[in-house]
Amino acid sequence: MPIAMQSLHYRIAPLDVHAHLFEVTCTLADPDADGQRFRLPTWTPGSYLIREFARHFVQVAASCNGMPVAITKDGKDSWQAAPCTGPLAVVAQVYAFDLSVRTAYLDATRAYFNGSSMFLCPVGREGVRCLLDIDPAFADALPGARVATSMRRDGAAAWGYGRHVATDYDDLIDHPVEIGTFATDSFTAGGVAHDVVVTGARGVDLARVSRDLARICQWECDLFGGAANSAAPFDRYIFLVMAVGDGYGGLEHRSSTSLLCKRDDLPREGESAISDDYQTFLGLAAHEYFHSWNVKRIKPAAFTPYDLSRENFTRQLWVFEGITSYYDDLALARSGVVAPERFLELIGRTLTNVLRTPGRHLQSLGDASFDAWIKFYRPDENSPNAGVSYYAKGAIVALALDLLLREHGSSLDALMRELWRRHGAAGAGVAESEVAELASSLAKADLADFFRRHVEGVEDPPLAAMLANVGVTLTLRAGEGARDRGGKPASLVPPPASWIGAKYPASGEPRLTHVYRNGPAARAGLSANDSIVAIDGIKASSEGLAATLARAGPGTRLAIDAFRRDVLMHFDVVLEAAPDDTAFLTLTNDIGKDMLQRRVAWLGA
Ligand code: ZN
């Protein structure tokens, strides 16, 4: 009988809140007799970029029964300790001052961490049970603070410091921890208690947030469980919300999510309408919650198991992020939190985003997924020309796939349920070709051509015709400048006459952030980062440029002076007719009973 490996023991404490330093200890009773090796993840699941968290490890030391043990770095994210009998304790000072949801933060107001950037993993002990002591020293460093995490408590009081337990290292790093003064509320969905924890905002109508989230969460539980079993796939869930002046982001975990939002995104006491900002917040929450199934439990085969030391390539991120993005908007409407028209507006905006990305003609969704590690997470001035987002285009292709499946008597709902049935409990990953095969099998027709054209190929799906079939009209129009994100009919009469083929801020200095390939600006020689200083000899502004474009017809010649770095250059730009790159969707009036039935089945009441 092999001897069971003993639990790993982790402890985290504040070392110096003003210097943003945690002290993190990993102790193992029975280190490798040849010398124990340790690794730190170099990326964190859900965020597909090599982040090299080890760069924030300021100091690492090892000891055995109080005697120092040599420990040396033998790679960018690995350490080798000299042989010792044990117990071996490794203590790290970790710098934490990142307000994002991906790593860690510590100051005199708040501590927050993801285990992937904090906890060393002794090589060979990945499957061993982990105990985590959240040190009561936090109580002195952060007076009045409480602890919020979905990690199972093992002696710690509710919201308190003390011992927590994880089944293995993968579990240990999948429960972010928030330590601070926060407001909480709770609700039940899928038969399970859900907590909402909000840090950084006062006067939030938390009861309303809970009420809306409860409907969305219940709808998602029902979607995956079907009528028979709408239970949630966890035994508790926490939304950890950090509200800041300006920010947006979310990261999914197995039984919690970290959300970063603007304070203005959260509803105040006394408000009742669903603002655009609050809808954005609910969409983000719905998105990360949907990941509880789609990517946390239904995973691409390439992620089973994760290799946290290197890139994990898959052509399926569009399935896990694009389909999730489609459902985050749809869930708001189908759960009855917003009217179907609001969902159509969101789809219109997403489609507008895709239509304004010429790179979609060059990069397929499969390629965008595969190259996420070097492209999507590293956008630059050429990104719209060279590629496409597997979130936005993925959501549009998910919409098209849903409508196609519905034409064949099935739906994307059925496909997600089947993926859940096959992969949810079993843990085996989704093979690269499986979604296409499953779609054909549900449709009882060969849908390979759809995937060839729109997932592995770069063709736009024929959305106007597909939407017409469910009583929705898709209209394209010219964009009305930097603030026009689409989703709504034109507001300017007459619409803007021409287009310069570049993106610039809505106000202030017209510094070109992107120049579209083959557009008027590009043809004249203008480049991204050029700062336009004069148009036809008159001082330029973003507002002035927009007004010129609204007025001047196609074929108009503009004499543009611009700085490239510190060099003044002159360009003659010939304007073109503004393209119809802005979409909005409307419910079609006077449709037949069958079509109405199809629309209701898709959008809800
Ligand atoms: Zn996502």
Side-chain angles (χ1 to χ4, degrees):
M1 284 266 293
I3 300 167
M5 299 261 191
Q6 298 196 41
S7 299
L8 299 174
H9 186 188
Y10 292 88
R11 174 184 160 274
I12 187 163
L15 182 66
D16 181 341
V17 293
H18 302 303
H20 317 295
L21 288 172
F22 285 106
E23 182 178 84
V24 187
T25 310
C26 172
T27 307
L28 64 168
D30 51 349
D32 191 328
D34 299 328
Q36 183 64 51
R37 199 153 178 261
F38 294 85
R39 290 202 86 110
L40 188 72
T42 197
W43 63 282
T44 200
S47 186
Y48 308 106
L49 178 68
I50 299 298
R51 293 190 188 272
E52 296 163 338
F53 300 124
R55 76 188 194 279
H56 292 310
F57 273 52
V58 176
Q59 206 174 58
V60 177
S63 65
C64 179
N65 291 317
M67 297 298 289
V69 170
I71 186 163
T72 47
K73 202 129 190 248
D74 68 350
K76 69 173 181 178
D77 54 7
S78 57
W79 289 258
Q80 175 72 52
C84 75
T85 51
L88 172 65
V90 177
V91 184
Q93 289 182 18
V94 186
Y95 177 75
F97 199 43
D98 172 18
L99 203 54
S100 85
V101 295
R102 293 180 297 256
T103 55
Y105 185 91
L106 178 66
D107 69 7
T109 65
R110 171 191 185 232
Y112 169 83
F113 58 88
N114 284 280
S116 49
S117 54
M118 287 286 128
F119 300 132
L120 292 172
C121 182
V123 173
R125 311 300 171 94
E126 293 78 6
V128 174
R129 192 172 83 123
C130 300
L131 304 174
L132 171 63
D133 286 329
I134 300 177
D135 202 285
F138 279 108
D140 299 325
L142 304 168
R146 294 186 289 165
V147 179
T149 180
S150 56
M151 198 182 303
R152 197 145 51 85
R153 288 185 283 115
D154 186 31
W159 310 105
Y161 304 105
R163 182 154 294 181
H164 293 69
V165 60
T167 50
D168 53 23
Y169 184 79
D170 188 48
D171 189 27
L172 177 73
I173 64 169
D174 206 10
H175 302 275
V177 176
E178 173 79 34
I179 305 172
T181 47
F182 42 70
T184 65
D185 199 20
S186 59
F187 62 87
T188 301
V192 165
H194 291 57
D195 290 307
V196 189
V197 170
V198 177
T199 306
R202 286 185 201 168
V204 175
D205 188 349
L206 253 188
R208 181 180 174 201
V209 174
S210 284
R211 227 166 28 240
D212 290 336
L213 287 179
R215 291 169 79 174
I216 293 165
C217 294
Q218 186 62 54
W219 182 82
E220 293 189 15
C221 289
D222 292 347
L223 171 76
F224 281 97
N229 175 25
S230 66
F234 30 70
D235 51 25
R236 69 175 293 208
Y237 192 89
I238 303 191
F239 288 94
L240 295 173
V241 184
M242 176 70 196
V244 294
D246 193 16
Y248 176 83
L251 192 61
E252 66 273 15
H253 299 280
R254 65 187 63 185
S255 42
S256 64
T257 178
S258 280
L259 307 177
L260 184 75
C261 69
K262 289 187 296 179
R263 268 178 216 109
D264 292 346
D265 288 349
L266 299 169
R268 323 292 299 175
E269 315 260 6
E271 292 172 359
S272 60
I274 294 193
S275 66
D276 255 19
D277 288 340
Y278 182 40
Q279 183 175 273
T280 300
F281 169 79
L282 292 175
L284 177 64
H287 179 99
E288 305 305 344
Y289 194 76
F290 197 87
H291 276 315
S292 304
W293 292 269
N294 197 32
V295 97
K296 293 312 301 185
R297 290 171 176 84
I298 307 166
K299 296 180 187 188
F303 290 177
T304 50
Y306 295 116
D307 180 348
L308 296 176
S309 70
R310 55 179 286 273
E311 297 87 347
N312 292 193
F313 296 104
T314 171
R315 302 184 69 77
Q316 298 192 82
L317 283 186
W318 77 273
V319 170
F320 296 94
E321 292 301 348
I323 291 180
T324 301
S325 295
Y326 169 59
Y327 273 107
D328 66 34
D329 292 337
L330 187 59
L332 303 186
R334 292 268 289 273
S335 64
V337 170
V338 305
E341 288 86 345
R342 293 289 282 268
F343 164 68
L344 295 182
E345 186 184 331
L346 292 169
I347 286 286
R349 278 193 214 159
T350 305
L351 182 56
T352 299
N353 173 344
V354 173
L355 292 174
R356 292 178 183 174
T357 308
R360 74 185 190 282
H361 298 306
L362 293 176
Q363 189 187 43
S364 71
L365 274 182
D367 288 341
S369 300
F370 189 89
D371 269 340
W373 302 89
I374 59 166
K375 292 191 175 174
F376 181 77
Y377 279 92
R378 290 174 172 172
D380 61 27
E381 72 287 346
N382 195 44
S383 295
N385 286 324
V388 73
S389 158
Y390 52 83
Y391 284 83
K393 170 102 185 273
I396 293 305
V397 169
L399 162 66
L401 179 59
D402 193 9
L403 297 176
L404 179 66
L405 286 166
R406 286 170 188 277
E407 283 169 22
H408 286 87
S410 186
S411 67
L412 196 56
D413 298 354
L415 188 144
M416 296 315 295
R417 263 194 294 279
E418 181 58 17
L419 282 176
W420 174 237
R421 195 186 66 75
R422 288 186 189 184
H423 298 281
V430 181
E432 293 286 298
S433 59
E434 187 172 339
V435 169
E437 288 157 12
L438 178 56
S440 291
S441 120
L442 288 171
K444 299 188 175 65
D446 185 359
L447 303 187
D449 193 51
F450 176 90
F451 290 86
R452 213 161 25 237
R453 285 169 190 262
H454 309 303
V455 175
E456 289 305 331
V458 296
E459 267 181 64
D460 291 337
L463 267 186
M466 298 179 105
L467 285 163
N469 209 20
V470 287
V472 170
T473 305
L474 168 64
T475 311
L476 298 179
R477 61 173 175 81
E480 297 180 347
R483 287 200 180 85
D484 180 8
R485 294 191 287 160
K488 290 179 175 167
S491 64
L492 297 182
V493 185
S498 53
W499 183 64
I500 194 168
K503 211 169 163 183
Y504 54 92
S507 61
E509 179 190 320
R511 185 166 199 263
L512 305 182
T513 53
H514 304 282
V515 171
Y516 298 111
R517 205 172 150 198
N518 299 325
R523 256 199 284 278
L526 277 156
S527 194
N529 299 328
D530 286 352
S531 282
I532 298 180
V533 291
I535 301 170
D536 290 336
I538 305 294
K539 186 173 190 242
S541 67
S542 289
E543 294 89 337
L545 177 55
T548 303
L549 296 176
R551 214 172 35 234
T556 304
R557 190 173 290 267
L558 298 183
I560 288 186
D561 293 300
F563 274 109
R564 179 164 305 167
R565 301 181 302 279
D566 57 353
V567 180
L568 185 63
M569 298 173 73
H570 183 86
F571 306 90
D572 286 309
V573 179
V574 180
L575 299 180
E576 290 177 6
D580 287 333
D581 61 5
T582 303
F584 65 97
L585 285 68
T586 44
L587 298 172
T588 314
N589 293 324
D590 303 324
I591 56 174
K593 199 171 142 222
D594 288 356
M595 192 179 280
L596 184 62
Q597 246 167 23
R598 289 200 291 277
R599 188 166 79 190
V600 169
W602 173 43
L603 290 182

